[in-house]
Structures are given as C-alpha cells and as structure tokens.
Amino acid sequence: MSPTAVHSLWTTAADPITKIDAPKIEYGQLSPTLIVLAAAIVGVLIEAFVPRRSRYVAQVFVSVVALAAAFAAVIGLAAGGFATTKSHIAAMGAVAVDGPALFLQGVILLTGLIAVFTFAERRLDPEAHGNRVDSFAAQAASVPGSEGEQAAVKAGFTTTEVFPLALFAVGGMLVFPAANDLLTLFVALEVFSLPLYLLCALARRKRIMSQEAAVKYFLLGAFASAFTLFGIALLYGYAGSVSYATIGQVIDGTVRTVDPALAGTMGNDALLLIGGAMVVMGLLFKVGAVPFHMWTPDVYQGAPTPVTGFMAAATKVAAFGALLRLLYVVLPGLRWDWRPVMWAVAIVTMLGGAIVAITQTDIKRLLAYSSIAHAGFILAGVIAMNPDGISSVLFYLAAYSFVTLGAFGVVTLVRDAGGEATHLSKWAGLGRRSPLVAAVFAVFLLAFAGIPLTSGFAGKFAVFKAAAEGGGTPLVVIGVISSAIAAFFYIRVIVLMFFSEPKPEGPTVAVPSPLTTTAIALGVIVTLVLGLAPQYFLDLAGQAGVFVR
C-alpha cells in the first residue's frame, strides 16, 4: 500500500476533534476526601524531610487535625443540605454526595480519629533503652529477630509511617461508599486495601505472626479484587457503561441506546448475573461474610491490635455502604435474583460466626468471629429493601464501630511479659485485679450481645424490625437464635473476669496515656448514649437514608 493511501485512510478514519471539555470537579463537595488525602501526602513528606526524633509529634498532629477538619467539612456539607435537598452526583458522575455517603463518611472519619489515638499510644510497653515504644515494629524492613532489628530498637526507631498509611486507608474508605461508578469503586477499594495490608505486618511483638497475617490478607484480598474487576468488566459488557445509573436503567429496560461496539452483548442476562455476583462477592469479602470470611480470624489475631480495631470498625462501615449503594441503586431491578442468595449468605454468616466463636480461646479471634456474626445481622437489614433497611444499617454501623474500637482498645491494656495477653485463661479474675477495666470491657461485650440499654440492642432491634417489615421474618428468627448463641460466649468472658480467682502469675493492666483513655471512654459514652436515647440518632439515620439516583 502506498504512503498516500495510508495517509488518506488515516485522515478519513480520524474524527475531527472539535473541543475537549475540561472536567468539572466540585472541590467543596469532595473536600472531606481531599483533606484526608492531602494530609496523607504531607505525612509522606514528613517521613522524607523531618528529623526522626520530631516525626512522631508531627505525624500525630497532622493526622488528628486532618481527620477533625474533614469531619467538620462533612458536617458543613450536611448542614448545607447536601444530605437531603441538594444531594447530587459530583465529579462528572463518579461520586455521589448524598445522605448515606455523608453519614458513612462522618462515621469513618470519627472511627479513624479514635484509631489514630490508639496508634499513637506509647505508654503500654516498658521503655526500651530509655525510649518509649508503641505497638509497631521499630524498623519494618528488618528481618524479625535480626541484628538490624535489635539495632533499630536500641536506637529508638519507630515506624511513624503508620499515620500516613492510616490516612490513605481512610481516604479510600471515604470514596468507597460514595462511588457512583464501578471504576471509582474499584480504585477506592485498592486505595484503602493496600495500606491495610501493610499495617497488618507491622506488629512490634509476634512479628512472624503479624507478617503471616498480612500475607494471608494480601493474597485473599488480591483474589477478591480480581473477582470484583472481572465482574465490573462483565457488567460493562452488559450495559455498555460503568455508571451505576445507566446499568440500573438498562436492567429496568428504560434505556436502549446501544453502543455499536457492544451491540452483541448488551442486555445479555448471563453477563448481568455473573458480573453482579462477582462484584457483590468482592464486597462480601470485605465485610467478612461467610463463606468469604476465612481471612478474618487470622488477620485480626496477627495484626497489631490498634490496626485490628481500626480495620474491624472502618472497613465494615465502608464496605457495607458500598454494598447498600450497589444493591439499592444498581441492582434493585434484579432483587428477585439476588435476595434468595443474600438470604442464604446472611443465615450462614449469623449462625457460622456465633457457633464457631464458642470454640475460641483467644480474645482477638473471639472478637473476629463475633464481627462475622455481626456482618450477618447487618445483612438482614441490607436485604430488607425498604427505607428502614437503609437507615437501620447506617445506625447499626455507627453503633458497632465505636463498640469495636473500644473493645480492642481494652485488649491492648491487658499485658504480660510477652506483650498483650490475649489468651482467655489470662483474663480470669481480671475484675478483681482491675475492676474498672473489666467493667468497661463488660459494657462492650453486653453491647455486642445486644442487651437492652446498650447501642447493640437498639441497632439489632432496628435491623430486625426492618427485615421483618421487608418480608424477612424467618431471617429475624434465625438472627434472634444466633444472638442467643452469641450471648453465651460474651457472658462467659464476663463470668471469667468477675467470678474466677485471679492467677498469681496473671497479666497486669497497663495504665494508658490520655490518648487510649479517650478512645475507650468515647466508646463507652457512645455505647450508652445510643442505647439509652437512640431516637435522635435513628431519626438522623432515617433522614440520611435516601440515595441520590
């Protein structure tokens, strides 16, 4: 072919470019996420340029200020009507600014703020070589037990990178429940997952177990991400778009504009069913629902306890927010297909988490299986498919996250020569050694069990009521049975603490700094306030429970 022929083909094939529109970004409405991500970048620069001895104070200051400022921005947006009348799709269709998004972002930011307090705790372990130490490895890159690690401990090194990592994770979590197209959802998933994989590997004590936890979480998380991405590709093939609204309209049959390149696949139900199932599977992995829960107990046990608390609380909030938006905005036209499957998942999650928790002897593994059971209870509200379903799930997530952070905060205080004493036998007689700490932990356990006058009862009641109204009465019956089974092992721990003789070689309760004290105190206050006077917060969740479409 002659050069002139090639040139003429090239000129005729190329469309004349008229004008590329500049992207329209509403920076004010995206400010909570932008503040957190900007602070995370500042944290990385602090690691690069600030002298080592000053980094800890600088990182804690930047993290706390950023999370508080982002929370203030969320409150400002909600007060400005973006949760109700002004809710809309921002960032050229990528992010929703509406009630559920702002409510969940507020919960995630408060959770992140309290988690940073526990990350910054440096009074629980005895000083090493005259330096205060935290829960994280002195030098993450050194081999456990090597000369390099010993030299790092002696020099008083600390891994202050945990603060920007936590901020990057929070930034991803803020976008995750607000994502309004599948690609934004996937990017947010990776942005918050990768820092969590790293944070899990950084425990100062039991480093081999910590690194094993991180590898398990990374490998299984990579599989879940791959399933999600494959599902996104299939849904794009089905609808010719990754936008939530367009996919929902193609499912309803209201849109029939076919992209010529996708004319052969658009409207193919097999792509829709398999793609939808794969994306939902990725989200169920993140919430720790059976049968995608295998990582949960190992990772919760191996990760540094402050990271476990942060992960258990914030990841669930973000993932359930994304799951709600996907099922209520994208797939409501498919509810007759996905509801029976989700029923089955909710039932095996509630029963599986509660029954297996009875056999656990480690307090962190017990709380991990407890979190699996709670994922089942929350799924009962998700399946309700009514407005109460959304608001009850929002309330439950807010209540659950504070109880979880408080409970893991208490776990960091009970220590012996090897660090945290997480074996249940070590907790025997704790109520006589340290009545206050045991009483606080008992409050959290009663809230997990759903005993009246705690936030756990108000949350469970709201979720089960929504499920019953949505035609899920059998689900509620199984949920109540699971709660009864779960109450057994929570109350067993309370009996162990208060009615057993303390062992002479038993653990001590460390006196924390004001940071951890504040985190635990906030957990107790929120647990009791949401239990004694839940109505205001239920109304708030009700007002915030409308998705923008």
Side-chain angles (χ1 to χ4, degrees):
M1 192 181 282
S2 68
T4 50
V6 171
H7 181 260
S8 68
L9 275 176
W10 179 73
T11 48
T12 50
D15 289 325
I17 294 173
T18 49
K19 188 176 74 170
I20 298 175
D21 291 326
K24 182 172 177 290
I25 307 292
E26 297 87 341
Y27 292 105
Q29 291 154 42
L30 303 177
S31 56
T33 309
L34 297 176
I35 290 168
V36 172
L37 291 175
I41 293 165
V42 170
V44 172
L45 295 175
I46 288 171
E47 287 299 317
F49 297 110
V50 173
R52 192 183 288 276
R53 65 179 177 280
S54 309
R55 284 180 202 165
Y56 166 79
V57 174
Q59 293 283 25
V60 174
F61 176 76
V62 166
S63 303
V64 169
V65 168
L67 291 166
F71 183 70
V74 168
I75 298 291
L77 287 171
F82 285 103
T84 48
T85 51
K86 291 189 192 170
S87 60
H88 72 124
I89 310 297
M92 300 185 69
V95 177
V97 181
D98 59 7
L102 291 173
F103 187 93
L104 293 167
Q105 286 177 344
V107 173
I108 290 164
L109 288 164
L110 286 179
T111 306
L113 186 61
I114 296 172
V116 164
F117 290 165
T118 60
F119 280 33
E121 177 59 62
R122 304 183 96 170
R123 284 206 199 153
L124 300 179
D125 269 318
E127 291 189 359
H129 306 285
N131 298 300
R132 286 183 173 174
V133 297
D134 53 22
S135 304
F136 301 98
Q139 192 168 34
S142 56
V143 176
S146 66
E147 287 179 14
E149 184 180 54
Q150 289 161 7
V153 172
K154 205 167 185 177
F157 289 1
T158 53
T159 303
T160 43
E161 293 96 326
V162 295
F163 296 102
L165 284 173
L167 288 176
F168 276 121
V170 170
M173 289 172 188
L174 293 178
V175 178
F176 200 53
N180 194 58
D181 69 49
L182 292 168
L183 286 183
T184 308
L185 181 85
F186 182 73
V187 170
L189 174 70
E190 293 307 302
V191 169
F192 83 77
S193 296
L194 294 171
L196 288 178
Y197 301 149
L198 292 171
L199 286 168
C200 287
L202 297 178
R204 180 175 284 270
R205 311 283 187 106
K206 301 178 181 166
R207 285 202 56 199
I208 300 287
M209 187 195 260
S210 173
Q211 291 179 357
E212 180 195 348
V215 170
K216 281 180 179 168
Y217 192 21
F218 171 67
L219 288 175
L220 290 170
F223 272 115
S225 295
F227 275 113
T228 307
L229 197 56
F230 200 35
I232 290 170
L234 294 177
L235 286 176
Y236 177 74
Y238 168 80
S241 171
V242 289
S243 158
Y244 281 10
T246 309
I247 298 170
Q249 287 166 344
V250 173
I251 293 170
D252 293 342
T254 49
V255 166
R256 296 214 172 275
T257 49
V258 179
D259 182 335
L262 294 166
T265 61
M266 264 190 78
N268 182 334
D269 286 348
L271 292 182
L272 170 65
L273 292 169
I274 298 169
M278 285 182 153
V279 175
V280 170
M281 194 191 305
L283 296 177
L284 290 176
F285 171 86
K286 278 291 168 205
V287 303
V290 178
F292 313 106
H293 68 293
M294 291 302 182
W295 61 277
T296 311
D298 291 339
V299 173
Y300 279 29
Q301 185 183 14
T305 305
V307 174
T308 306
F310 171 57
M311 203 163 59
T315 307
K316 258 198 177 41
V317 176
F320 268 114
L323 187 63
L324 273 176
R325 192 175 295 277
L326 191 75
L327 295 180
Y328 280 67
V329 177
V330 185
L331 304 174
L334 204 63
R335 73 181 71 175
W336 303 114
D337 295 293
W338 62 252
R339 275 189 80 179
V341 178
M342 296 296 272
W343 264 60
V345 170
I347 289 167
V348 296
T349 304
M350 289 189 283
L351 289 173
I355 292 167
V356 181
I358 293 173
T359 65
Q360 299 306 310
T361 55
D362 183 279
I363 197 82
K364 283 170 82 174
R365 286 185 81 87
L366 186 142
L367 290 174
Y369 279 105
S370 146
S371 87
I372 292 168
H374 281 281
F377 300 142
I378 300 170
L379 277 173
V382 172
I383 299 167
M385 282 308 283
N386 54 27
D388 282 353
I390 303 173
S391 59
S392 66
V393 168
L394 296 182
F395 179 85
Y396 199 122
L397 289 169
Y400 173 81
S401 55
F402 284 95
V403 181
T404 304
L405 280 169
F408 281 106
V410 174
V411 171
T412 63
L413 304 184
V414 182
R415 309 179 88 80
D416 58 16
E420 289 162 7
T422 56
H423 197 279
L424 273 180
S425 61
K426 304 270 181 77
W427 288 59
L430 190 72
R432 310 209 183 161
R433 266 217 176 97
S434 182
L436 180 63
V437 169
V440 165
F441 197 59
V443 169
F444 293 135
L445 291 174
L446 292 172
F448 280 136
I451 303 298
L453 304 184
T454 64
S455 59
F457 174 76
K460 270 187 190 160
F461 183 81
V463 163
F464 288 161
K465 178 170 169 279
E469 287 172 358
T473 309
L475 207 57
V476 175
V477 173
I478 292 168
V480 172
I481 293 168
S482 303
S483 295
I485 296 169
F488 166 75
F489 60 79
Y490 296 128
I491 290 167
R492 187 183 73 180
V493 177
I494 295 172
V495 169
L496 185 75
M497 291 193 297
F498 287 101
F499 300 103
S500 302
E501 285 298 322
K503 293 180 181 172
E505 74 283 1
T508 56
V509 174
V511 178
S513 70
L515 292 167
T516 298
T517 310
T518 304
I520 296 171
L522 282 170
V524 173
I525 291 165
V526 173
T527 300
L528 294 175
V529 168
L530 293 186
L532 295 166
Q535 197 54 52
Y536 170 76
F537 298 96
L538 283 166
D539 292 345
L540 194 67
Q543 290 163 14
V546 181
F547 288 108
V548 61
R549 283 180 169 77

